[in-house]
Amino acid sequence: MKKLVLPCLITALCAGLPAYAETVEAKGSSEEVSIQESGSLLKARKLAKKAADRDAVMAALKNRMNISKNNPAVQEAVDDLVKQLSDNLLTSYSTDGDLVTAKSVLKAEASEVYELARSIDGLISSKALAKIVFIIDEYFGVGTMLEAGQPLSTEIKFHQDKSSASSSSKAAASASSSKDAIAVAASSKSAVASSDSASISARDKGSFSASEQRGVAVADRYGNSGAAASDTRVAGSRDASLDASRKSSFAGSQQSSFAGAASSERADASSSSSASASSKKDVTDFSFKQTFAGIDNAKPSDTSAALIGKGLEEVAKKFGLEYVPEKDIRTEKGARLLISDMERQGKFDAITQKASRQPYMANYIVYGTAVMNTTGKTASGDVTCSGALGLTSYNVGTNSGLVSKKLTREAQGKVDQECRQRLAAALSEDAAQAISLAATKELQLKAVQGESFYVFLHSAKKIKASIMLAFPDLLKSISKEMQEDPSKDLSWSVKAKEGFINKLRALVAQIAEENPDAKNARIIVKGGQIAVSIDGSAPKGF
């Protein structure tokens, strides 16, 4: 099979690709409003619409954010957001006697809604973006510059068989009266048949025939005579057809014959004669084999050809995510590990922990494997392709799972690369949305309720008394709640708000600067456990 190399994307090609904007649609309704109590039908409808619009906007926000509708500050902020989204709200009314109800539908681009929500004070408890490291392996099936259905290679095997046969006849006579007879016969036949198959749509028929007849007769002055005749016929036909596949066949036959006879009568003479004729058979056979591109031989792409990773970087912000480049987070001894390598070598925990430290400082890490293949062509000639992206994500602080999901998409484009670019863009949007829904809700909840950690001091050497005495107060200054563990010395259960790990890291850096004996001090995070290592050594199990 021919080896094909996918070309790099052309700038002009990518520029013409459409954006995949996510649309949010949310519905809201009002309670019954009395016309009489409101003063008029118009006023009753106005009150019902306000309630339905607010309900629709709240429904949209709660899909992604942790928002309490009972908070007065939130109610005021939602009313402000309703005004800004008024052009995107459609309301219908229902009247039953004295009572009016309203139903509103919000349809808007998701990025517009959530960017507006983040800009309004009091609406959300935390405006921090969820920092994500995406590690995505992309596998591409065979991409060919040939037209779909055309073979990658053609193999023809040829065989020709020739054989000959001969025949002879003799006649002899003597005496006063003699008779000579000479006969010659010759014939030849040949045939050719062939067939092939390929994905071509065509039909061709042709046929031919010809014949030739000749005769001759002679006589001499002695009374001798002779006659000869020849009859040659040739016929051939060709039929090539295809319906989703191509079958070609050719059959030809040729037959020629010659027959001659001569006789003579004379006295006092003797004569003998002989004649021979031979025929040759010429048979040609050949086989026809074609190889087509497969779609089940996807290979991992290198970073320069990765499409989904680039797509995630482009759309992350509008989904409330901060894209953190993976850099060399999965590079070991100069080799870039695939997710399959990490699984085989048990590297997931180590890489997840790396994501929580400098230079990444991420909240979450997302592992994904995408497989995309070209699937065929539309009736209009566009290339079609499909793909699946499996995602698994973790909170790097607690090592707890965030979301696990499999996304599937289909796309089409003028050429193979355009189809894949559109497919990757769609999968990128879907992935960003799936992660954003879970991550933003979790961050909002932590901002309100706080996050729990277990913090303890560690050193392979003796810890100075001044550090042991000062540390609890320093820890309390950055915590929302703190309780000492009675079963273990120098250990505390802490509930803290957003940014606690960074604050603790700064606190430990201060300790290292002020105490020469603690110049190597650092924090080591494993899930919800944080070791404050005074001498820089790692506790057992970390």
Side-chain angles (χ1 to χ4, degrees):
M1 181 177 287
K2 296 179 181 177
K3 184 177 180 182
L4 298 175
V5 180
L6 292 173
C8 295
L9 289 174
I10 301 172
T11 303
L13 175 66
C14 297
L17 298 178
Y20 285 82
E22 179 206 3
T23 300
V24 61
E25 180 174 337
K27 298 178 181 180
S29 60
S30 72
E31 295 181 351
E32 294 176 337
V33 179
S34 171
I35 298 174
Q36 185 176 357
E37 292 177 3
S38 302
S40 68
L41 176 61
L42 184 60
K43 290 181 179 180
R45 283 190 168 190
K46 186 176 181 180
L47 291 172
K49 175 177 172 55
K50 183 178 180 180
D53 288 350
R54 184 190 295 120
D55 195 45
V57 171
M58 282 293 295
L61 296 177
K62 289 181 73 174
N63 281 335
R64 188 171 295 180
M65 301 175 177
N66 184 53
I67 295 175
S68 173
K69 60 195 282 186
N70 297 323
N71 186 331
V74 170
Q75 285 292 339
E76 185 177 346
V78 168
D79 287 340
D80 188 5
L81 186 57
V82 167
K83 292 178 183 177
Q84 296 189 57
L85 294 171
S86 59
D87 292 341
N88 301 99
L89 286 159
L90 182 63
T91 306
S92 59
Y93 303 92
S94 177
T95 303
D96 184 8
D98 180 55
L99 302 175
V100 174
T101 56
K103 292 183 179 180
S104 294
V105 177
L106 171 67
K107 285 186 179 181
E109 188 176 334
S111 58
E112 177 187 2
V113 174
Y114 298 120
E115 282 298 318
L116 283 173
R118 296 177 66 82
S119 69
I120 298 175
D121 292 333
L123 185 56
I124 57 177
S125 51
S126 174
K127 295 184 179 181
L129 299 177
K131 297 180 69 176
I132 313 284
V133 174
F134 288 95
I135 297 180
I136 308 293
D137 285 344
E138 299 177 34
Y139 291 79
F140 289 159
V142 170
T144 173
M145 297 304 291
L146 299 175
E147 291 295 323
Q150 292 298 306
L152 295 179
S153 64
T154 300
E155 178 184 344
I156 299 176
K157 292 182 179 180
F158 179 86
H159 175 70
Q160 191 173 36
D161 181 19
K162 293 185 176 182
S163 61
S164 62
S166 63
S167 62
S168 62
S169 62
K170 292 183 178 181
S174 64
S176 58
S177 175
S178 66
K179 181 182 285 187
D180 262 337
I182 299 174
V184 178
S187 65
S188 66
K189 293 183 180 180
S190 63
V192 177
S194 64
S195 63
D196 61 59
S197 60
S199 297
I200 305 171
S201 179
R203 185 170 185 86
D204 184 20
K205 283 188 176 182
S207 63
F208 65 90
S209 64
S211 64
E212 180 183 25
Q213 292 182 328
R214 293 181 181 180
V216 62
V218 297
D220 60 23
R221 62 180 178 172
Y222 300 105
N224 296 323
S225 63
S230 70
D231 184 0
T232 301
R233 293 184 176 88
V234 179
S237 64
R238 180 181 71 253
D239 186 356
S241 62
L242 169 74
D243 186 4
S245 62
R246 182 185 67 201
K247 292 185 178 179
S248 301
S249 62
F250 171 77
S253 65
Q254 179 178 331
Q255 181 171 351
S256 62
S257 62
F258 170 78
S263 64
S264 63
E265 293 184 9
R266 59 187 180 274
D268 299 323
S270 65
S271 66
S272 65
S273 63
S274 64
S276 65
S278 64
S279 64
K280 287 187 176 181
K281 181 173 66 175
D282 188 350
V283 179
T284 302
D285 297 318
F286 67 90
S287 62
F288 192 84
K289 180 182 178 182
Q290 291 182 320
T291 303
F292 292 83
I295 62 170
D296 57 349
N297 57 349
K299 303 297 181 185
S301 66
D302 57 25
T303 53
S304 62
L307 301 177
I308 294 178
K310 293 176 183 177
L312 285 165
E313 185 175 7
E314 293 173 0
V315 303
K317 189 173 182 180
K318 77 174 186 178
F319 286 97
L321 305 175
E322 182 179 338
Y323 181 88
V324 180
E326 67 170 76
K327 298 181 180 178
D328 61 351
I329 195 170
R330 54 159 141 180
T331 301
E332 289 195 0
K333 298 179 181 179
R336 184 173 180 267
L337 299 178
L338 296 174
I339 292 175
S340 57
D341 298 327
M342 299 177 203
E343 185 174 11
R344 186 176 62 257
Q345 300 175 23
K347 298 288 186 180
F348 283 116
D349 284 347
I351 291 175
T352 299
Q353 290 305 310
K354 282 176 70 175
S356 68
R357 301 193 291 268
Q358 293 285 2
Y360 308 102
M361 303 298 291
N363 302 112
Y364 304 96
I365 187 167
V366 178
Y367 300 97
T369 300
V371 178
M372 295 182 283
N373 286 309
T374 301
T375 55
K377 275 197 170 185
T378 65
S380 61
D382 282 356
V383 176
T384 60
C385 52
S386 65
L389 171 60
L391 297 173
T392 304
S393 53
Y394 299 93
N395 182 315
V396 300
T398 63
N399 210 29
S400 58
L402 178 66
V403 65
S404 181
K405 200 166 189 178
K406 182 176 181 180
L407 308 170
T408 58
R409 275 281 191 163
E410 295 180 348
Q412 68 182 62
K414 296 295 183 184
V415 294
D416 183 80
Q417 283 294 88
E418 184 182 65
C419 188
R420 288 184 176 177
Q421 177 71 6
R422 290 179 172 176
L423 178 61
L427 287 171
S428 298
E429 293 255 352
D430 290 349
Q433 180 183 4
I435 299 301
S436 175
L437 287 172
T440 305
K441 275 190 173 183
E442 186 170 284
L443 287 180
Q444 293 295 318
L445 189 62
K446 288 177 181 178
V448 175
Q449 299 179 354
E451 187 174 359
S452 296
F453 298 95
Y454 186 80
V455 182
F456 62 95
L457 284 176
H458 165 79
S459 178
K461 303 175 182 179
K462 186 177 180 179
I463 301 175
K464 288 179 62 174
S466 60
I467 295 176
M468 288 191 291
L469 291 172
F471 186 77
D473 289 337
L474 293 172
L475 183 60
K476 188 175 182 178
S477 68
I478 60 173
S479 305
K480 184 179 180 182
E481 297 177 15
M482 188 179 81
Q483 184 176 353
E484 188 174 357
D485 183 356
S487 65
K488 187 177 180 181
D489 293 338
L490 303 176
S491 301
W492 301 267
S493 293
V494 173
K495 182 167 280 191
K497 289 188 176 181
E498 181 183 330
F500 170 75
I501 292 178
N502 289 337
K503 292 176 183 178
L504 180 60
R505 188 173 277 109
L507 186 152
V508 172
Q510 179 185 336
I511 293 174
E513 185 177 348
E514 296 174 353
N515 295 273
D517 293 342
K519 62 181 180 180
N520 295 321
R522 62 181 179 128
I523 69 169
I524 307 172
V525 181
K526 184 181 180 181
Q529 298 183 70
I530 303 176
V532 179
S533 177
I534 301 302
D535 64 350
S537 64
K540 186 177 180 180
F542 274 70

